[in-house]
Each structure stands twice: as C-alpha cells, then as structure tokens.
Amino acid sequence: MGDLDYVRTAVALACLYGPEDIKLFINDYNLEYDWDASGNKKLENLIKWIERWEADDVTKIDGIGTQMHISCYADPDQQNKRKELIKKSFELMAATGKQVRISELDIT
C-alpha cells in the first residue's frame, strides 16, 4: 500500500468503524533518545511523516504517544544531556499542537 496510503487507510477505517469521539495517536518508542548528533531526529522524522499523512486534508491524527525507556546516570553530564533530550522531545511534540501521551514509561 505504500508509506502514505497505509496510514491514511488505517485512519479512515478507524474513523468509519470506531466510535464518533475516537482519538487517533501515532505511538512510537525512544522518541527522546539521541539517535544522532543533533538529537531527537527520530521524533523530528515522525513529525514530518504526520505532516505528510495529513497533507491530504482528510487524514487527522490527534496525538503522539511516546513509549519512554529512560535511564538515570551517575555521571552528571550524561544525566543532564538525557534530561535535555527528554525536555526537547516534549517541546517538539507540544509544538505540533497535537495531544501528547506517555503510553509507556520505565526508568532504570
């Protein structure tokens, strides 16, 4: 079905057969993790995909769900880096105007 049509079809079917007040979330894990030097690249790409899916002016995604698997570090520099990545991820999600949900959380 392709990258665009799969999600658009899933959203259309959920709206057709789900309850009238259905809220649809894209849910993914490690959105707060530093996959690259700039940080939060996975989340930035997810947000771009949401924009692509919704570009048809029919598909509507209500929110972003994040499965957070975070760690605490004894090294203060590493701990502060992680805290900033988490903070930035919530700022990025909030900036979309979508609802934000922590769908899973574990801390080690």
Side-chain angles (χ1 to χ4, degrees), residues 3-78:
D3 295 330
L4 292 173
D5 288 337
Y6 179 81
V7 171
R8 289 176 176 166
T9 300
V11 168
L13 291 171
C15 291
L16 181 64
Y17 294 108
E20 282 185 32
D21 61 348
I22 193 168
K23 297 290 182 191
L24 300 174
F25 282 72
I26 295 296
N27 190 61
D28 206 347
Y29 64 95
N30 290 342
L31 296 176
E32 76 289 341
Y33 194 77
D34 57 337
W35 294 104
D36 61 84
S38 69
N40 296 109
K41 185 60 79 180
K42 184 176 184 182
L43 175 57
E44 291 168 358
N45 284 328
L46 178 63
I47 291 168
K48 287 178 186 174
W49 273 108
I50 292 169
E51 291 169 354
R52 288 180 190 141
W53 293 322
E54 292 184 329
D56 66 356
D57 292 325
V58 175
T59 304
K60 172 124 173 43
I61 295 167
D62 298 296
I64 301 171
T66 178
Q67 300 172 31
M68 299 180 70
H69 308 283
I70 58 178
S71 299
C72 295
Y73 294 87
D75 176 2
D77 291 334
Q78 184 74 317

